[in-house]
Amino acid sequence: MLTFDGVIIAQGDFHLAADLTISKGLTAVIGPSGAGKSTLLGAAAGFVSLKSGRIVCDASDVTAAQPGARPISMLFQDHNLFPHLTITQNIGLGLRPNLRMTAEETSRVKAAIGDVGLDGFGDRKPGTLSGGQQSRAALARVLLADRPVVLLDEPFSALGPALKDEMLRLVQRTLVDAGKTVLMVTHDPDDAESIADHVVLVAEGAATGPFDTEAVFANPPAALMAYLGTRVSRRS
Amino acid sequence: MARSALPIITMVPAIVAGAIVVVLTLGTLIAVALRAEVGSGLGPADWAAVRFTVAQAFVSASLSVGFAIPVARALARRQFLWRRLLITLLGAPFILPVIVAVLGLLAVFGRNGVLNTALAAIGLPEVSIYGFHGVVLAHVFFNLPLATRFLLQGWLAIPAERFRLAAGLNAPVGRLLEWPMLCVIVPGAFLVIFVICLTSFAVALTLGGGPRATTVELAIYEALRFDFDPGRAALLACVQFGLCAIAALVAWRVSAVDALGTGLDRVVQRWDGSRWIDGIWITLAAMFLLAPLSMVVFQGLAGLDDLPAEVWPSIVRSVSVAIVSAFLTVGMALALALQGGRLVAVIGVLPLAASSLVVGTGLFLMIFPFVRPADMALPVTAAVNATLALPFALRAISPAVAATTENYGRLAAQLNVTGWAWVRLVVVPRVRAPLGFALGLAAALSMGDLGVIALFADADAATLPLTMYRLMGSYRMEAAAGAGLLLVAISLMLFWICDRGGRVNVDV
């Protein structure tokens, strides 16, 4: 569970208010570009300072904690792997930030590589992998880090439609089924509608929700209507 | 973005590095100022030294920039076979030991040099390389390539489309495009070279001297080494610092040019200018650079048989000092670059205004009540060389460290890869190429240094450049040439090993 408790973010002319609680399962963050979807995630992860309010994970207040000390994993739009480290090392960082691993930890890394279907790629550098394989490696690290909250800031946006769907299903099968709280930014309402349990709308200076996905698309509030326009719902 | 987004590192290494720089630059200055004997003031000889220093720097900088304009323009608009090699060669004087270049210049322009032999053959009087014009000649030799690189960068910064547009309109390229660019670049280039010429002790030591060709730095050296008059040396050091500080301040405000930049091997298609005149300028510049360098190689090869025994231990000393100094430079630069910020930027440029003789005088005054300066010659030389090379190392490393933080800082912070793990696992592997370059540059600069070592060392602690200078002083030119060739070879090899080591197997 992740709570934005009376959060207000202010950066120059930009303002964003968020007062919401994200429960377990997959929650999609949608809204127009520039409205602050990434900023909302950045605030939870500790990269954006708050003007006021608190970030609470499960029962603990993490507002003052360093990014690495929060029970939160995050994948960014790009630069999710270190190009000079092998896939094994990149994934191992989820377990040991200094890479001094025991034999037991090394075998866990190996298992995680297998879980995302990258057996045999452990000694390769990210540059020699395809975009989809790189995404899988980053996801393996999130799995291994095993933190209760996972933030996905459009990490799959550079992939083609088929690969992206495959990754979303992998997220569903691994993270969501393991009972994580997953908050995922997407610029594609279809993604939200097809796999998200809930939807948070970031628009006009505020994050609102979470709404039940089916209900909100069936009967969108005014701000969502303005963003979606005359789009035809997939499920209707 | 919040400050906490950056991987947390302790400030201790940056504070230590900053303290070393401040003690060696400002600290030594205070030591100098406290000992300066203002009582008698500057004598007529001292004023002559000040006038000579400023005059030779002014003439050297003017000639370097003046000749660089046609050479850089020719290089910017002509494509030819050896262009790339020639442009690389323009970077060489930066790491070429001064004393070796002086030896090469002597071989061409000296009493028994190529030029005077030719003049004698056709019955003309000989020209002397010593004194004012010798100092200027050596400075132009070193700084013409530097000025050419500055200006070439300016030329290549003009977008190719504008030349196309000008050609289409049949407009005068010179007045429309080149003159405004020169107005921006030339003052900066002039001032940077002016500062360099104010502080090039080794040139004045070898080609200057005597009442009419003594620079302030040479006067400091003579006051300390021959007259043992620390008060006067300190006073002169204050004067030298004043000169440098004023010039460096002006240069810092005026110039935004970076001579170490790469990407100079592009040619812009042009429709103006004479192919012949450009060819002549390029040939003249190449000959001016290559003749002394080839003489170093020719005479050096001949002199290799004749190397005296003291050369070998001095090589060991020089290489050790260079290695220690290079690692110190890069360590300090990395510590400062990781910290970042305005204060670090100021600390990074402080050594540019420092003269090695002023720093050396200050250290001499600080330590000679306690230990024999000659015993400290090598550690002091390593520390001073490391500090003087710091601005160049910092300029090479800082942008790469900043880019790494920009691209991977959040990921590392997210994964709790902080402190030493961040430096070890992310920063060092990612900035390896500039680290290697900076290491090689610092090693080569230290290898060729003939500044502070001359103040401190006696015969037991001489480095290779100092040994060379002594051989030249006792007219053993063959042996000096042999030592000079070794010195160049070792400097270039150190640079090559480090630079190459940083670039192999880099994953982008």
Side-chain angles (χ1 to χ4, degrees):
Chain A
M1 206 164 74
L2 173 66
T3 303
F4 295 84
D5 177 15
V7 166
I8 293 182
I9 302 159
Q11 294 172 339
D13 285 344
F14 176 86
H15 283 267
L16 184 68
D19 193 25
L20 32 89
T21 295
I22 316 292
S23 49
K24 280 182 187 171
L26 201 156
T27 303
V29 181
I30 61 173
S33 46
K37 300 188 293 288
S38 294
T39 309
L40 185 72
L41 265 62
F47 296 118
V48 175
S49 43
L50 309 184
K51 193 173 170 213
S52 61
R54 302 184 309 147
I55 305 287
V56 182
C57 279
D58 294 321
S60 60
D61 182 344
V62 298
T63 316
Q66 291 295 332
R70 303 185 180 204
I72 296 176
S73 285
M74 182 164 180
L75 289 185
F76 309 96
Q77 264 189 23
D78 47 18
H79 297 304
N80 282 309
L81 298 172
F82 294 109
H84 58 281
L85 299 179
T86 63
I87 294 300
T88 303
Q89 288 175 314
N90 264 295
I91 295 176
L93 286 175
L95 218 49
R96 283 271 161 210
N98 60 12
L99 283 184
R100 299 188 207 281
M101 286 188 279
T102 63
E104 186 264 336
E105 285 165 336
T106 310
S107 64
R108 279 177 62 196
V109 171
K110 217 170 148 52
I113 293 176
D115 287 346
V116 295
L118 286 179
D119 269 327
F121 288 91
D123 294 333
R124 306 254 296 253
K125 301 265 175 83
T128 68
L129 269 59
S130 71
Q133 288 167 333
Q134 292 182 18
S135 298
R136 286 164 178 274
L139 201 60
R141 192 185 55 220
V142 172
L143 289 173
L144 205 60
D146 199 26
R147 299 185 189 175
V149 176
V150 178
L151 308 173
L152 304 176
D153 188 5
E154 298 198 76
F156 314 128
S157 60
L159 304 178
L163 266 178
K164 188 181 73 175
D165 278 349
E166 188 190 318
M167 288 308 300
L168 291 179
R169 278 200 302 278
L170 191 61
V171 165
Q172 184 98 43
R173 204 172 66 232
T174 51
L175 296 173
V176 178
D177 290 357
K180 311 276 183 212
T181 303
V182 182
L183 195 58
M184 179 183 82
V185 171
T186 175
H187 60 265
D188 185 352
D190 288 342
D191 285 350
E193 205 175 349
S194 60
I195 77 160
D197 305 305
H198 296 95
V199 170
V200 165
L201 177 67
V202 178
E204 296 164 10
T208 48
F211 307 105
D212 180 70
T213 306
E214 207 161 323
V216 81
F217 279 107
N219 188 12
L224 182 58
M225 190 98 94
Y227 169 56
L228 294 176
T230 54
R231 169 185 166 278
V232 181
S233 167
R234 226 185 218 186
R235 290 181 187 178
S236 59
Chain B
M1 184 163 292
R3 185 87 180 87
S4 65
L6 301 173
I8 314 142
I9 343 178
T10 158
M11 283 179 66
V12 175
I15 291 173
V16 172
I20 293 176
V21 175
V22 170
V23 166
L24 284 187
T25 53
L26 301 180
T28 51
L29 185 67
I30 293 171
V32 161
L34 290 178
R35 275 303 298 268
E37 281 163 16
V38 195
S40 50
L42 293 178
D46 301 328
W47 280 114
V50 172
R51 276 196 304 274
F52 179 81
T53 305
V54 175
Q56 61 80 19
F58 183 83
V59 174
S60 302
S62 308
L63 291 178
S64 299
V65 176
F67 286 127
I69 292 173
V71 176
R73 185 176 58 180
L75 283 171
R77 64 187 181 187
R78 298 289 162 225
Q79 180 68 280
F80 53 95
L81 189 60
W82 301 101
R83 185 173 179 275
R84 230 188 135 124
L85 189 70
L86 186 60
I87 288 175
T88 309
L89 202 71
L90 290 178
F94 192 76
I95 57 171
L96 184 70
V98 176
I99 183 118
V100 175
V102 166
L103 200 65
L105 288 168
L106 283 173
V108 176
F109 301 98
R111 181 157 299 154
N112 301 316
V114 179
L115 181 69
N116 277 325
T117 312
L119 288 178
I122 53 172
L124 289 172
E126 73 172 31
V127 292
S128 165
I129 191 179
Y130 295 99
F132 186 88
H133 45 278
V135 171
V136 169
L137 179 76
H139 280 157
V140 174
F141 175 81
F142 273 100
N143 295 306
L144 174 64
L146 181 70
T148 306
R149 283 174 72 95
F150 276 142
L151 294 175
L152 189 53
Q153 224 158 36
W155 249 288
L156 295 182
I158 303 176
E161 294 79 5
R162 295 206 193 141
F163 285 108
R164 222 162 47 200
L165 187 63
L169 296 169
N170 206 14
V173 167
R175 212 181 61 215
L176 193 68
L177 299 175
E178 295 178 329
W179 178 250
M181 180 279 292
L182 288 175
C183 288
V184 175
I185 305 280
V186 162
F190 175 88
L191 282 165
V192 166
I193 293 169
F194 184 74
V195 176
I196 292 174
C197 295
L198 284 182
T199 62
S200 70
F201 169 69
V203 167
L205 178 68
T206 46
L207 296 175
R212 294 202 300 159
T214 295
T215 60
V216 177
E217 286 197 325
L218 193 54
I220 297 172
Y221 169 75
E222 285 167 354
L224 264 191
R225 285 297 287 204
F226 302 138
D227 311 335
F228 199 76
D229 187 349
R232 184 155 166 272
L235 181 63
L236 287 165
C238 289
V239 171
Q240 172 71 16
F241 177 82
L243 283 178
C244 290
I246 294 167
L249 255 175
V250 179
W252 192 51
R253 288 196 63 99
V254 173
S255 78
V257 275
D258 179 3
L260 296 176
T262 47
L264 295 178
D265 44 11
R266 192 165 57 88
V267 179
V268 176
Q269 200 183 351
R270 296 277 295 266
W271 296 266
D272 61 311
S274 152
R275 181 174 277 273
W276 285 105
I277 292 176
D278 284 350
I280 289 169
W281 277 114
I282 291 171
T283 311
L284 283 178
M287 275 173 56
F288 179 55
L289 285 183
L290 286 175
L293 292 180
S294 4
M295 291 309 282
V296 166
V297 177
F298 282 131
Q299 299 197 334
L301 286 174
L304 281 181
D305 299 334
D306 193 28
L307 286 179
E310 69 255 36
V311 164
W312 306 109
S314 70
I315 288 180
V316 175
R317 280 182 218 114
S318 272
V319 172
S320 319
V321 167
I323 291 174
V324 170
S325 163
F327 277 99
L328 196 56
T329 302
V330 169
M332 293 199 296
L334 191 59
L336 290 171
L338 283 166
Q339 197 59 46
R342 271 187 90 80
L343 191 62
V344 164
V346 172
I347 288 173
V349 296
L350 266 184
L352 286 180
S355 122
S356 72
L357 263 281
V358 176
V359 173
T361 307
L363 283 174
F364 193 96
L365 297 175
M366 277 152 100
I367 66 174
F368 94 93
F370 310 106
V371 287
R372 215 164 63 90
D375 295 338
M376 295 299 289
L378 297 183
V380 161
T381 304
V384 173
N385 288 348
T387 305
L388 295 180
L390 183 70
F392 306 106
L394 205 56
R395 201 179 291 177
I397 293 172
S398 273
V401 170
T404 301
T405 309
E406 169 78 25
N407 289 335
Y408 298 101
R410 285 195 313 172
L411 176 60
Q414 227 292 298
L415 294 168
N416 219 359
V417 178
T418 53
W420 179 234
W422 159 247
V423 177
R424 179 174 62 94
L425 293 175
V426 184
V427 177
V428 169
R430 295 223 57 79
V431 304
R432 225 178 68 193
L435 275 185
F437 172 78
L439 197 66
L441 194 65
L445 287 177
S446 170
M447 197 64 211
D449 167 74
L450 179 58
V452 77
I453 186 75
L455 277 186
F456 279 75
D458 52 22
D460 305 332
T463 55
L464 188 51
L466 191 56
T467 303
M468 243 189 99
Y469 172 65
R470 292 200 174 130
L471 288 171
M472 286 163 73
S474 49
Y475 298 102
R476 297 173 64 185
M477 297 313 258
E478 290 243 307
L485 184 60
L486 278 182
L487 179 55
V488 180
I490 297 170
S491 299
L492 291 181
M493 200 180 65
L494 282 177
F495 176 77
W496 186 82
I497 291 172
C498 299
D499 186 43
R500 182 86 195 130
R503 279 186 296 158
V504 286
N505 289 326
V506 169
D507 301 282
V508 232

